[in-house]
Amino acid sequence: MDINRKTQSTSRKWTEADIPDLTGKSFIVTGATAGLGEVTARALSQAGDG
């Protein structure tokens, strides 16, 4: 059995709702002015609003 095939068939799409409450946590995100870095920084900051 190909493990990648099993993982792909049972996986679901990841969303920002999957990020737990991050209040009090610190992160360093490089490239936070555009692209993936920007999206990551926004998602992490919203997860700390709880």
Side-chain angles (χ1 to χ4, degrees), residues 1-13:
M1 174 191 289
D2 180 12
I3 193 160
N4 290 330
R5 180 183 294 165
K6 183 177 181 183
T7 302
Q8 290 173 356
S9 65
T10 60
S11 66
R12 64 178 180 78
K13 185 176 179 182

Side-chain angles (χ1 to χ4, degrees), residues 13-41:
K13 185 176 179 182
W14 182 89
T15 68
E16 291 177 17
D18 294 319
I19 302 174
D21 180 18
L22 299 175
T23 301
K25 303 287 183 181
S26 298
F27 297 89
I28 297 174
V29 179
T30 61
T33 58
L36 185 57
E38 179 182 15
V39 173
T40 300

